[in-house]
Amino acid sequence: MKIAILRFGGSNCDLDVQKALNNLGAETELVWYKEVLEGFDGVIIPGGFSYGDYLRAGAIAARTKIMQSVREMAEDGKPILGICNGAQILSESHLVPGTFTLNQYPKFVCKWVKLLKIGRSPFTTFSSEIVNLPIAHKEGRFVVPSQLLKELYENDQVVFKYVDDNGRPTSSANPNGSRDNIAAVSNLEKNVLAMMPHPERASEKLLGSVDGNVIFESMISYMNTL
Amino acid sequence: MLFRAEITIKLKNGMLDPEAATIKNALKHLGYECRSVKQAAIFKLEFEADSRQNATDVAEGMCRRLLANPIIHDYDIELV
């Protein structure tokens, strides 16, 4: 079982993701976007500022050839996880619905947030309802047309919401103005997850939380069933 | 034939534009009261196409496939 960690020009959380996965005993390989994506059981698209966020965050990376291979793996049911810039790349690739755009207050937000698990997905098969993870982004406001939002709820595609200490998705707990406090969204089949928070930045005690590990562990368990 | 196209990408009506809101505020600090401020991106392109219709189709393709995000953007294409 091997996980590909994609690298584009400007990716910068690739090594952090790799370390977090290696800590959990997963076999990983860093894959440069010009290489062939072959022989992998899952993919993680890490955070960063691919292509300087030119045009729109994730827009350029989404149009690279390797993303076509990611699409094929997604169609095969393999798990694909996009974190932060990786989430933006997945939405720009139309692999998940909606889009992540400029924060309500147009500045970079870097802080710890509480996330309530909403939908079921191969990335969230752990027991805890709330996880603490950091966010670090300027374009993380989830935008989705109302009709599509309705479908997301009907199809259980809203995976995490930003919540307060009491687990409520209040406006003060919403760090970027995302529609309905949505922090992570999946495709219809649930094997592609786009999330703005960084699980790899909460993967060791030294970092302040190990809550992120449950997401990677869920992904690894799911791959073992395939 | 060489065509020149001017493509304007703008947020759909009613979409929140935090940057424009910040700019509106900054204008206010300078004494300019605006009811609204909107901003857009303009791309000026030169490319070869067989006909005017073909050039419009090509520009449409560029908008659909890269320049605009259909969830948040509208676009205008003007062949110059």
Side-chain angles (χ1 to χ4, degrees), chain A residues 55-56 63 92 98-99 101-104 106 141 143 145, chain B residues 15-16 18-19 22 43 65-69 71-73:
Chain A
L55 196 62
R56 298 176 300 277
R63 273 82 183 173
E92 278 286 341
T99 195
T101 189
L102 187 64
N103 293 347
Q104 182 175 7
R141 176 168 54 100
V143 173
Chain B
M15 285 284 310
L16 180 71
E19 262 182 24
T22 306
F43 296 88
R65 298 182 62 198
L66 177 63
L67 299 181
N69 178 336
I71 296 170
I72 53 174
H73 291 136

Side-chain angles (χ1 to χ4, degrees), chain B residues 13-73:
Chain B
N13 272 338
M15 285 284 310
L16 180 71
D17 186 344
E19 262 182 24
T22 306
I23 293 162
K24 180 169 174 272
N25 236 346
L27 284 170
K28 192 176 170 185
H29 288 311
L30 293 173
Y32 301 107
E33 283 280 357
C34 297
R35 278 197 192 174
S36 70
V37 174
K38 289 182 178 180
Q39 57 172 358
I42 295 176
F43 296 88
K44 294 181 176 185
L45 307 123
E46 290 183 345
F47 56 90
E48 295 281 346
D50 299 336
S51 64
R52 207 176 161 78
Q53 184 57 51
N54 180 226
T56 306
D57 293 347
V58 169
E60 277 274 348
M62 291 178 186
C63 290
R64 262 197 333 270
R65 298 182 62 198
L66 177 63
L67 299 181
N69 178 336
I71 296 170
I72 53 174
H73 291 136

Side-chain angles (χ1 to χ4, degrees), chain A residues 128-169:
Chain A
S128 46
E129 289 301 313
I130 289 183
V131 288
N132 289 298
L133 299 181
I135 51 165
H137 60 247
K138 189 175 167 190
E139 285 96 1
R141 176 168 54 100
F142 184 66
V143 173
V144 61
S146 298
Q147 179 55 36
L148 188 53
L149 180 67
K150 203 170 146 248
E151 288 171 27
L152 295 189
Y153 282 120
E154 283 167 6
N155 299 322
D156 206 18
Q157 288 172 260
V158 175
V159 177
F160 283 117
K161 280 190 179 187
Y162 301 108
V163 292
D164 65 11
D165 290 340
N166 300 313
R168 292 174 311 188

Side-chain angles (χ1 to χ4, degrees), chain A residues 17 19 39 50 56 63 66 87 102 125 134 149-150 154 179 196:
Chain A
V17 167
K19 184 161 192 294
S50 58
R56 298 176 300 277
R63 273 82 183 173
I66 201 166
L102 187 64
T125 49
L149 180 67
K150 203 170 146 248
E154 283 167 6
R179 185 81 188 258
M196 288 312 296

Side-chain angles (χ1 to χ4, degrees), chain A residues 84-219:
Chain A
C84 197
N85 190 225
Q88 295 160 339
I89 293 169
L90 287 178
S91 76
E92 278 286 341
S93 306
H94 309 299
L95 280 164
V96 294
T99 195
F100 297 98
T101 189
L102 187 64
N103 293 347
Q104 182 175 7
Y105 300 104
K107 60 174 188 177
F108 190 88
V109 179
C110 185
K111 62 192 272 197
W112 286 85
V113 293
K114 284 194 161 55
L115 299 162
L116 177 67
K117 188 171 73 173
I118 306 279
R120 284 161 300 134
S121 88
F123 305 91
T124 52
T125 49
F126 46 87
S127 56
S128 46
E129 289 301 313
I130 289 183
V131 288
N132 289 298
L133 299 181
I135 51 165
H137 60 247
K138 189 175 167 190
E139 285 96 1
R141 176 168 54 100
F142 184 66
V143 173
V144 61
S146 298
Q147 179 55 36
L148 188 53
L149 180 67
K150 203 170 146 248
E151 288 171 27
L152 295 189
Y153 282 120
E154 283 167 6
N155 299 322
D156 206 18
Q157 288 172 260
V158 175
V159 177
F160 283 117
K161 280 190 179 187
Y162 301 108
V163 292
D164 65 11
D165 290 340
N166 300 313
R168 292 174 311 188
T170 56
S171 58
S172 59
N174 191 338
N176 52 25
S178 286
R179 185 81 188 258
D180 277 20
N181 285 42
I182 293 172
V185 66
S186 79
N187 64 340
L188 189 58
E189 294 76 18
K190 315 281 160 56
N191 63 314
V192 181
L193 179 67
M195 62 184 298
M196 288 312 296
H198 286 269
E200 81 282 8
R201 295 190 190 181
S203 59
E204 291 182 33
K205 259 190 186 155
L206 191 64
L207 298 172
S209 164
V210 292
D211 281 11
N213 283 337
V214 289
I215 292 167
F216 296 130
E217 283 164 352
S218 295
M219 180 178 177

